Amino acid sequence: MAAADLLPPAPGRLPPTAIPSHYDLHYTKIDLLRHTFEGVVSISVDIPARPALLDAIVLHSIDLAITEATYASALPSASPSASPSPSPSPSGSAALRPPFQAFEYRYHTPTQTCALLFPPGSIQPATAGQLSLRFRGVLNDLMHGLYRSTYTSLDGRELTIATTQFEPTDARRAFPCFDEPALKAAFRLTVSLDADEGRPALRPYSNTAVTN
């Protein structure tokens, strides 16, 4: 099926357009005063031999604004002749062809998905590549996705924190992703902490190792 003939996905399952293997997620800004956040995510994906759609990738995204989306195919590892100036992938495992820019984002609220449409020939079946997205969202107070909460400090002050709740299907509210149990993947998380413009300095707390 061509991207131009795209139909809303069936409830509950994504159409097989890409299979993620790794996420490199970077929150570039978390603003506890304005209750907003911005980020970028690079997703290593495998394209099925018979994708449900041609030149389109469908993933989960709700309460987010995707502001940029690109897709770059991986260069064949055994090929000595590659296109000029390939860029390395975040994991360093493959080099990439020059990226294609998505020209349309089709949000489908009932299924909490977004279809990214790319120019013809951008995405080849049975290949690997990298999907890169820039996005922004709101720190809600509903305990979904990346949200805001408060606690009382030892000196009695009420302080705001940014925290997460991804289960059962709320990762899609924190960043665009393939939010299904069958599409689990490893990920690396980076958070930029900013104390400019009078905003309070942020301090990370995690149940895994934190590095500067």
Side-chain angles (χ1 to χ4, degrees):
M1 181 184 294
D5 302 321
L6 181 67
L7 298 174
R13 302 299 293 271
L14 288 173
T17 57
I19 302 171
S21 59
H22 187 271
Y23 292 85
D24 194 344
L25 174 61
H26 181 192
Y27 286 106
T28 56
K29 180 178 290 188
I30 297 178
D31 192 328
L32 296 181
L33 296 182
R34 297 183 177 91
H35 303 156
T36 60
F37 61 86
E38 300 175 11
V40 294
V41 60
S42 296
I43 312 172
S44 299
V45 298
D46 294 307
I47 305 301
R50 299 182 65 181
L53 299 165
L54 298 177
D55 301 310
I57 293 178
V58 182
L59 76 172
H60 289 108
S61 178
I62 187 71
D63 298 335
L64 298 171
I66 298 174
T67 58
E68 184 180 11
T70 62
Y71 179 80
S73 296
L75 289 167
S77 57
S79 174
S81 58
S83 58
S85 303
S87 54
S89 68
S91 61
S93 59
L96 301 172
R97 300 184 188 277
F100 289 91
Q101 188 97 19
F103 64 85
E104 185 177 348
Y105 313 141
R106 293 189 184 178
Y107 295 94
H108 188 246
T109 302
T111 54
Q112 303 182 349
T113 59
C114 180
L116 310 170
L117 276 57
F118 292 88
S122 303
I123 304 174
Q124 298 299 318
T127 60
Q130 179 176 287
L131 176 65
S132 299
L133 307 168
R134 187 173 298 275
F135 62 94
R136 64 175 182 265
V138 175
L139 283 172
N140 67 73
D141 58 357
L142 303 175
M143 299 182 66
H144 297 313
L146 177 61
Y147 68 97
R148 70 183 189 271
S149 185
T150 59
Y151 71 98
T152 302
S153 65
L154 293 177
D155 59 5
R157 293 179 299 154
E158 185 177 85
L159 302 177
T160 301
I161 62 171
T163 187
T164 58
Q165 170 60 39
F166 286 177
E167 295 180 351
T169 57
D170 283 330
R172 64 192 68 179
R173 299 177 187 274
F175 62 102
C177 59
F178 300 85
D179 194 12
E180 292 183 3
L183 298 176
K184 292 180 180 178
F187 69 93
R188 178 175 62 184
L189 173 64
T190 302
V191 180
S192 294
L193 307 180
D194 187 2
D196 291 341
E197 301 179 12
R199 286 188 287 267
L202 303 182
R203 179 180 298 175
Y205 294 92
S206 175
N207 57 1
T208 60
V210 176
T211 60
N212 292 327

